[in-house]
mmCIF file of all heavy atoms in Angstrom:
data_model
loop_
_atom_site.group_PDB
_atom_site.id
_atom_site.type_symbol
_atom_site.label_atom_id
_atom_site.label_comp_id
_atom_site.label_asym_id
_atom_site.label_seq_id
_atom_site.Cartn_x
_atom_site.Cartn_y
_atom_site.Cartn_z
ATOM 1 N N GLY A 215 -22.719 130.202 0.032
ATOM 2 C CA GLY A 215 -22.436 130.100 -1.404
ATOM 3 C C GLY A 215 -23.457 129.269 -2.144
ATOM 4 O O GLY A 215 -24.075 128.360 -1.565
ATOM 5 N N ASN A 220 -25.094 122.410 -13.794
ATOM 6 C CA ASN A 220 -26.047 122.421 -14.896
ATOM 7 C C ASN A 220 -25.995 121.082 -15.646
ATOM 8 O O ASN A 220 -25.088 120.830 -16.446
ATOM 9 C CB ASN A 220 -25.703 123.592 -15.830
ATOM 10 C CG ASN A 220 -26.734 123.765 -16.916
ATOM 11 O OD1 ASN A 220 -27.433 122.822 -17.296
ATOM 12 N ND2 ASN A 220 -26.825 124.966 -17.426
ATOM 13 N N GLY A 236 -18.743 109.681 -33.443
ATOM 14 C CA GLY A 236 -19.606 108.877 -34.325
ATOM 15 C C GLY A 236 -20.211 107.679 -33.606
ATOM 16 O O GLY A 236 -19.820 107.338 -32.487
ATOM 17 N N CYS A 239 -18.371 104.436 -32.023
ATOM 18 C CA CYS A 239 -17.477 104.573 -30.865
ATOM 19 C C CYS A 239 -18.314 104.904 -29.626
ATOM 20 O O CYS A 239 -19.197 105.759 -29.673
ATOM 21 C CB CYS A 239 -16.467 105.688 -31.140
ATOM 22 S SG CYS A 239 -15.354 106.040 -29.775
ATOM 23 N N LYS A 246 -14.758 109.327 -11.563
ATOM 24 C CA LYS A 246 -13.939 109.156 -10.350
ATOM 25 C C LYS A 246 -13.980 110.425 -9.497
ATOM 26 O O LYS A 246 -14.374 111.495 -10.006
ATOM 27 C CB LYS A 246 -12.502 108.826 -10.768
ATOM 28 C CG LYS A 246 -11.834 109.907 -11.589
ATOM 29 C CD LYS A 246 -10.602 109.361 -12.326
ATOM 30 C CE LYS A 246 -9.886 110.457 -13.062
ATOM 31 N NZ LYS A 246 -8.875 109.933 -13.997
ATOM 32 N N ASP A 275 -14.580 101.286 -3.874
ATOM 33 C CA ASP A 275 -15.593 101.948 -3.068
ATOM 34 C C ASP A 275 -16.476 102.872 -3.920
ATOM 35 O O ASP A 275 -17.701 102.890 -3.792
ATOM 36 C CB ASP A 275 -14.881 102.741 -1.965
ATOM 37 C CG ASP A 275 -15.847 103.535 -1.130
ATOM 38 O OD1 ASP A 275 -16.726 102.904 -0.521
ATOM 39 O OD2 ASP A 275 -15.748 104.773 -1.111
ATOM 40 N N LEU A 280 -21.638 103.773 -6.875
ATOM 41 C CA LEU A 280 -22.323 103.948 -8.161
ATOM 42 C C LEU A 280 -23.448 102.923 -8.312
ATOM 43 O O LEU A 280 -24.508 103.227 -8.869
ATOM 44 C CB LEU A 280 -21.292 103.822 -9.289
ATOM 45 C CG LEU A 280 -21.731 104.173 -10.705
ATOM 46 C CD1 LEU A 280 -20.537 104.613 -11.540
ATOM 47 C CD2 LEU A 280 -22.424 103.029 -11.425
ATOM 48 N N ARG A 281 -23.238 101.738 -7.767
ATOM 49 C CA ARG A 281 -24.239 100.673 -7.860
ATOM 50 C C ARG A 281 -25.573 101.069 -7.207
ATOM 51 O O ARG A 281 -26.617 100.550 -7.568
ATOM 52 C CB ARG A 281 -23.709 99.376 -7.228
ATOM 53 C CG ARG A 281 -22.784 98.606 -8.160
ATOM 54 C CD ARG A 281 -23.585 97.831 -9.197
ATOM 55 N NE ARG A 281 -22.770 97.247 -10.260
ATOM 56 C CZ ARG A 281 -22.691 97.735 -11.515
ATOM 57 N NH1 ARG A 281 -23.361 98.794 -11.872
ATOM 58 N NH2 ARG A 281 -21.950 97.133 -12.421
ATOM 59 N N LEU A 324 -9.087 83.642 -9.033
ATOM 60 C CA LEU A 324 -10.494 83.700 -8.651
ATOM 61 C C LEU A 324 -11.358 83.007 -9.708
ATOM 62 O O LEU A 324 -12.300 82.276 -9.367
ATOM 63 C CB LEU A 324 -10.937 85.157 -8.465
ATOM 64 C CG LEU A 324 -12.306 85.346 -7.810
ATOM 65 C CD1 LEU A 324 -12.320 84.822 -6.371
ATOM 66 C CD2 LEU A 324 -12.710 86.819 -7.805
ATOM 67 N N GLN A 330 -15.380 79.875 -13.550
ATOM 68 C CA GLN A 330 -16.110 80.670 -14.534
ATOM 69 C C GLN A 330 -15.166 81.676 -15.196
ATOM 70 O O GLN A 330 -14.130 82.012 -14.631
ATOM 71 C CB GLN A 330 -17.305 81.391 -13.900
ATOM 72 C CG GLN A 330 -16.939 82.495 -12.929
ATOM 73 C CD GLN A 330 -18.157 83.143 -12.278
ATOM 74 O OE1 GLN A 330 -18.564 82.784 -11.173
ATOM 75 N NE2 GLN A 330 -18.732 84.127 -12.965
ATOM 76 N N ILE A 365 -9.809 84.488 -18.027
ATOM 77 C CA ILE A 365 -10.080 85.925 -18.068
ATOM 78 C C ILE A 365 -10.510 86.328 -19.477
ATOM 79 O O ILE A 365 -9.859 85.970 -20.453
ATOM 80 C CB ILE A 365 -8.833 86.749 -17.679
ATOM 81 C CG1 ILE A 365 -8.384 86.378 -16.265
ATOM 82 C CG2 ILE A 365 -9.124 88.246 -17.770
ATOM 83 C CD1 ILE A 365 -7.138 87.115 -15.803
ATOM 84 N N THR A 369 -11.845 94.917 -22.720
ATOM 85 C CA THR A 369 -11.295 96.155 -23.295
ATOM 86 C C THR A 369 -9.814 96.242 -22.981
ATOM 87 O O THR A 369 -9.401 95.927 -21.858
ATOM 88 C CB THR A 369 -12.017 97.385 -22.696
ATOM 89 O OG1 THR A 369 -13.416 97.275 -22.974
ATOM 90 C CG2 THR A 369 -11.497 98.692 -23.286
ATOM 91 N N ALA A 393 -1.789 101.262 -30.807
ATOM 92 C CA ALA A 393 -2.415 100.617 -31.973
ATOM 93 C C ALA A 393 -1.696 99.308 -32.309
ATOM 94 O O ALA A 393 -2.334 98.293 -32.621
ATOM 95 C CB ALA A 393 -2.416 101.568 -33.166
ATOM 96 N N LEU A 406 -8.481 104.513 -25.861
ATOM 97 C CA LEU A 406 -7.251 105.297 -25.709
ATOM 98 C C LEU A 406 -7.482 106.687 -25.120
ATOM 99 O O LEU A 406 -6.750 107.125 -24.243
ATOM 100 C CB LEU A 406 -6.585 105.410 -27.102
ATOM 101 C CG LEU A 406 -5.415 106.358 -27.308
ATOM 102 C CD1 LEU A 406 -4.243 105.986 -26.409
ATOM 103 C CD2 LEU A 406 -4.969 106.325 -28.766
ATOM 104 N N ALA A 407 -8.508 107.392 -25.609
ATOM 105 C CA ALA A 407 -8.515 108.850 -25.418
ATOM 106 C C ALA A 407 -9.253 109.331 -24.171
ATOM 107 O O ALA A 407 -10.367 108.912 -23.885
ATOM 108 C CB ALA A 407 -9.126 109.517 -26.646
ATOM 109 N N SER A 415 -7.143 113.817 -32.475
ATOM 110 C CA SER A 415 -7.107 113.068 -33.733
ATOM 111 C C SER A 415 -8.212 112.015 -33.712
ATOM 112 O O SER A 415 -8.443 111.361 -32.692
ATOM 113 C CB SER A 415 -5.753 112.380 -33.880
ATOM 114 O OG SER A 415 -5.838 111.360 -34.861
ATOM 115 N N TYR A 427 -12.857 115.427 -17.624
ATOM 116 C CA TYR A 427 -12.815 116.881 -17.416
ATOM 117 C C TYR A 427 -13.720 117.681 -18.357
ATOM 118 O O TYR A 427 -14.461 118.565 -17.922
ATOM 119 C CB TYR A 427 -11.362 117.342 -17.557
ATOM 120 C CG TYR A 427 -11.133 118.798 -17.241
ATOM 121 C CD1 TYR A 427 -11.551 119.338 -16.029
ATOM 122 C CD2 TYR A 427 -10.493 119.634 -18.149
ATOM 123 C CE1 TYR A 427 -11.331 120.672 -15.736
ATOM 124 C CE2 TYR A 427 -10.264 120.970 -17.864
ATOM 125 C CZ TYR A 427 -10.690 121.484 -16.652
ATOM 126 O OH TYR A 427 -10.475 122.808 -16.362
ATOM 127 N N THR A 447 -21.396 126.858 -11.957
ATOM 128 C CA THR A 447 -21.278 128.264 -11.563
ATOM 129 C C THR A 447 -21.285 128.327 -10.039
ATOM 130 O O THR A 447 -21.894 127.494 -9.366
ATOM 131 C CB THR A 447 -22.425 129.148 -12.108
ATOM 132 O OG1 THR A 447 -23.665 128.611 -11.641
ATOM 133 C CG2 THR A 447 -22.449 129.184 -13.617
ATOM 134 N N ARG A 451 -21.911 135.028 -1.068
ATOM 135 C CA ARG A 451 -22.579 136.216 -0.558
ATOM 136 C C ARG A 451 -21.614 137.152 0.174
ATOM 137 O O ARG A 451 -20.677 136.702 0.826
ATOM 138 C CB ARG A 451 -23.686 135.706 0.366
ATOM 139 C CG ARG A 451 -24.085 136.539 1.495
ATOM 140 C CD ARG A 451 -24.706 135.712 2.621
ATOM 141 N NE ARG A 451 -25.624 134.669 2.204
ATOM 142 C CZ ARG A 451 -26.950 134.755 2.310
ATOM 143 N NH1 ARG A 451 -27.509 135.817 2.781
ATOM 144 N NH2 ARG A 451 -27.704 133.741 1.965
ATOM 145 N N THR A 455 -19.687 144.934 4.292
ATOM 146 C CA THR A 455 -18.793 145.842 3.560
ATOM 147 C C THR A 455 -18.204 146.816 4.581
ATOM 148 O O THR A 455 -18.750 146.995 5.673
ATOM 149 C CB THR A 455 -19.539 146.656 2.476
ATOM 150 O OG1 THR A 455 -20.570 147.403 3.108
ATOM 151 C CG2 THR A 455 -20.138 145.755 1.421
ATOM 152 N N SER A 469 -1.037 141.575 5.322
ATOM 153 C CA SER A 469 -0.245 141.444 4.085
ATOM 154 C C SER A 469 -0.592 142.510 3.050
ATOM 155 O O SER A 469 0.176 142.747 2.134
ATOM 156 C CB SER A 469 -0.442 140.054 3.485
ATOM 157 O OG SER A 469 -1.786 139.892 3.090
ATOM 158 N N MET A 483 -16.523 132.705 2.062
ATOM 159 C CA MET A 483 -15.880 131.601 1.341
ATOM 160 C C MET A 483 -14.414 131.647 1.748
ATOM 161 O O MET A 483 -13.879 132.737 1.966
ATOM 162 C CB MET A 483 -16.009 131.855 -0.159
ATOM 163 C CG MET A 483 -15.200 130.966 -1.043
ATOM 164 S SD MET A 483 -15.290 131.530 -2.763
ATOM 165 C CE MET A 483 -14.329 133.023 -2.687
ATOM 166 N N TYR A 501 -18.436 141.251 -9.794
ATOM 167 C CA TYR A 501 -19.743 141.758 -9.421
ATOM 168 C C TYR A 501 -20.352 142.416 -10.646
ATOM 169 O O TYR A 501 -19.775 143.353 -11.198
ATOM 170 C CB TYR A 501 -19.644 142.773 -8.275
ATOM 171 C CG TYR A 501 -20.985 143.394 -7.935
ATOM 172 C CD1 TYR A 501 -21.996 142.600 -7.386
ATOM 173 C CD2 TYR A 501 -21.248 144.735 -8.197
ATOM 174 C CE1 TYR A 501 -23.246 143.153 -7.099
ATOM 175 C CE2 TYR A 501 -22.489 145.283 -7.897
ATOM 176 C CZ TYR A 501 -23.483 144.481 -7.356
ATOM 177 O OH TYR A 501 -24.708 145.016 -7.078
ATOM 178 N N MET A 514 -9.873 130.896 6.387
ATOM 179 C CA MET A 514 -10.576 129.614 6.303
ATOM 180 C C MET A 514 -11.993 129.764 5.747
ATOM 181 O O MET A 514 -12.438 128.998 4.903
ATOM 182 C CB MET A 514 -10.638 128.962 7.688
ATOM 183 C CG MET A 514 -11.152 127.541 7.654
ATOM 184 S SD MET A 514 -11.281 126.828 9.305
ATOM 185 C CE MET A 514 -9.562 126.686 9.749
ATOM 186 N N LYS A 527 -21.796 150.071 -5.918
ATOM 187 C CA LYS A 527 -21.173 149.077 -5.041
ATOM 188 C C LYS A 527 -22.199 148.086 -4.500
ATOM 189 O O LYS A 527 -23.298 148.491 -4.118
ATOM 190 C CB LYS A 527 -20.466 149.777 -3.889
ATOM 191 C CG LYS A 527 -19.304 150.646 -4.364
ATOM 192 C CD LYS A 527 -18.484 151.123 -3.209
ATOM 193 C CE LYS A 527 -17.334 152.050 -3.580
ATOM 194 N NZ LYS A 527 -17.275 152.666 -4.873
ATOM 195 N N GLY A 551 -2.286 129.025 -10.301
ATOM 196 C CA GLY A 551 -1.189 128.142 -10.686
ATOM 197 C C GLY A 551 -1.533 126.677 -10.567
ATOM 198 O O GLY A 551 -0.715 125.854 -10.153
#
Side-chain angles (χ1 to χ4, degrees):
N220 186 335
C239 177
K246 61 197 184 192
D275 176 60
L280 189 154
R281 280 281 170 255
L324 191 64
Q330 68 182 96
I365 301 179
T369 301
L406 170 61
S415 163
Y427 185 54
T447 58
R451 150 205 318 256
T455 59
S469 64
M483 169 187 71
Y501 176 67
M514 189 182 291
K527 296 190 183 15

